[in-house]
């Protein structure tokens, strides 16, 4: 069974905001109680948090769909809905978050580092919060905003100082087992290591981590073997160690050609690996003829500028010198890194000419309005309520949307869409000559709506009948 996963596609859904409540206070001897509808609760976020105790993405491989809870709706008597609970997902240190197109959204390194993968929706305002001097008793409330739906890709890149690279069965697992307390699987057949192994090495006053990366073969950077799956784990390492087998049984291989093949794969993969400091380890010198081959190839490797160490993981030869040499390179790399500065809060005020939205005329003559506020207001509007639609028209007018439509050449009857193409509200635009509470009728009604709701029309018909009956009664003259 798979116990290590370093790449998953995660489908996250934040909680939706709760709807606001439209309610009027009713109490004996208080005929004008006023609106008392509460606000809806906020939807929960989906948050990725680095947890050092987590080493794999296996949980998300088995359960890739995660959803936060929704906010509760508001209620009468000014009772606000409960906020949705955030969903916190622990991820390993070194996790990279990407979108479906491969763009990096976040690089999560360090315990406690967080990233909001999906933002919860806002709760809708109740009619108590919407009341004003002119709109004393709103007959509507705002809807909650749906939470974000997002597909993200999580990739784990091991956070280590030193990476051991080389052919399968070159002795990398044996080497990390004697340099550190790590206990990787060791056998005498290729591809023993199927997952990266991490170990902690102490050399004098320097403590560093070392990673055993699964074996590479020719063509690994193009996807052959296991190399492409695990080359990403080398990217964060500051030092590379070529582990070369001096006791290989394959007649067409030798340490120098193995080095050339691995170097070519690292260069082909890119990510700056060709410029990392590197050492060469000639392993298995305890095997017959291993020492002779090491003595033969060492001068050529040193001519190329490599520092060469002859070791035996089985006989524990040359390990101390190797560990201190690695500590020296790791220390130099750490000293060259810029000092961490405290996080600065950068305030970027909005430009004075930024209206917060744009109006674009498309090829088919449709005018499309894009902006956070207009799109959010549309999602919060209950289009079955005339007064709510009129309130939306007032808000858009105050924001300046109608002025921009006129400047863009819009005329009465032109189509206007608010929102993206896949989720937009489209309507025929009629310039608003009058706006505000003076256009309101009863609660839930707005005289500007040309197509009244059937229920509203029935109420008007019944009222007209009562008015006609009252008029007949007033006009009646007894004999």
């Amino acid at each position: 069974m798979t116990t290590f996963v370093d790449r998953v596609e995660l489908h996250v859904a934040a909680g939706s905001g709760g709807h606001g409540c439209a309610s009027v206070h009713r109490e004996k001897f208080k005929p004008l109680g006023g609106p008392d509808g509460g606000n809806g609760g906020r939807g929960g976020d989906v948050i990725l948090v680095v947890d050092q105790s987590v080493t794999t993405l296996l949980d998300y491989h088995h359960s890739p769909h995660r959803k936060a809870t929704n906010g509760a709706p508001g209620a009468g008597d000014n009772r606000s809905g409960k906020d949705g609970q955030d969903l916190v997902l622990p991820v390993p240190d070194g996790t990279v978050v990407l979108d479906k197109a491969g763009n990096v959204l976040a690089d999560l390194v360090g315990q406690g580092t967080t990233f909001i993968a999906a933002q919860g929706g806002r709760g809708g305002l109740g009619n108590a919060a919407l009341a004003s001097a002119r709109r004393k008793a709103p007959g509507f409330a705002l809807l909650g905003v749906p939470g974000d739906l997002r597909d993200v890709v999580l990739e784990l890149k091991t956070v280590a100082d030193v990476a051991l690279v080389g052919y399968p069965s070159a002795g990398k697992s044996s080497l990390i087992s004697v340099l550190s307390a790590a206990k990787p699987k060791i056998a005498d057949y290729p591809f023993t290591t199927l997952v990266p192994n991490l170990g902690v090495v102490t050399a004098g006053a320097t403590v560093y981590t070392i990673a055993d990366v699964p074996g590479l073969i020719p063509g690994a950077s193009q996807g052959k073997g296991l190399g492409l799956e695990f080359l990403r784990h080398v990217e964060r390492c500051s030092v590379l160690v070529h582990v070369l087998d001096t006791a290989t049984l394959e007649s067409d291989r030798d340490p120098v050609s193995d080095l050339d093949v691995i170097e070519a794969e690292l260069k082909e993969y890119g990510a700056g690996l060709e410029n990392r400091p590197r050492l060469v380890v000639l392993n298995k010198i305890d095997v017959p003829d291993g020492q002779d081959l090491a003595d033969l190839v060492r001068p050529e490797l040193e001519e190329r500028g490599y520092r060469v160490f002859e070791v035996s993981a089985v006989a524990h030869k040359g390990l101390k010198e190797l560990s201190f040499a690695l500590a020296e390179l790791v220390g130099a790399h750490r000293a060259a890194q810029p000092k961490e500065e405290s996080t600065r809060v950068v305030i970027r005020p909005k430009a004075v000419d930024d209206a917060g939205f744009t109006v674009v005329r498309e090829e088919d003559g449709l005018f499309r309005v894009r902006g956070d506020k207009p799109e959010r207001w549309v999602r919060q509007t209950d289009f079955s309520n005339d007064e709510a639609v009129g309130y939306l028209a007032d808000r858009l007018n105050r924001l300046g949307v109608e002025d921009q439509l006129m400047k863009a050449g819009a005329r009465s009857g032109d189509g206007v869409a608010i929102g993206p193409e896949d989720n937009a509200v489209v309507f025929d635009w009629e310039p608003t000559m009058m706006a505000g509470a003076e256009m309101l009728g009863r609660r839930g009604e707005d005289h500007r709506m040309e197509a009244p709701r059937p229920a509203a029309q029935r109420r008007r018909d019944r009222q007209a009948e009562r008015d006609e009956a009252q008029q007949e009664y007033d006009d009646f003259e007894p004999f």
Side-chain angles (χ1 to χ4, degrees), residues 15-28:
S16 299
H19 299 330
C21 176
S23 172
V24 176
H25 183 72
R26 291 176 174 85
E27 186 176 347
K28 192 175 182 180

Side-chain angles (χ1 to χ4, degrees), residues 80-118:
S80 295
K82 183 180 179 181
D83 290 343
Q85 187 174 1
D86 293 339
L87 178 62
V88 179
L89 303 178
V91 296
D93 191 7
T95 300
V96 179
V97 186
L98 308 99
D99 60 15
K100 296 294 290 295
N103 301 313
V104 177
L105 303 176
D107 193 353
L108 306 179
V109 179
Q111 176 70 20
T113 305
T114 62
F115 172 71
I116 299 178

Side-chain angles (χ1 to χ4, degrees), residues 198-223:
L198 285 178
V200 180
V201 182
T202 302
T206 305
V207 179
Y208 57 92
T209 55
I210 187 169
D212 165 21
V213 181
L216 305 179
I217 62 174
S221 59
Q222 278 76 42

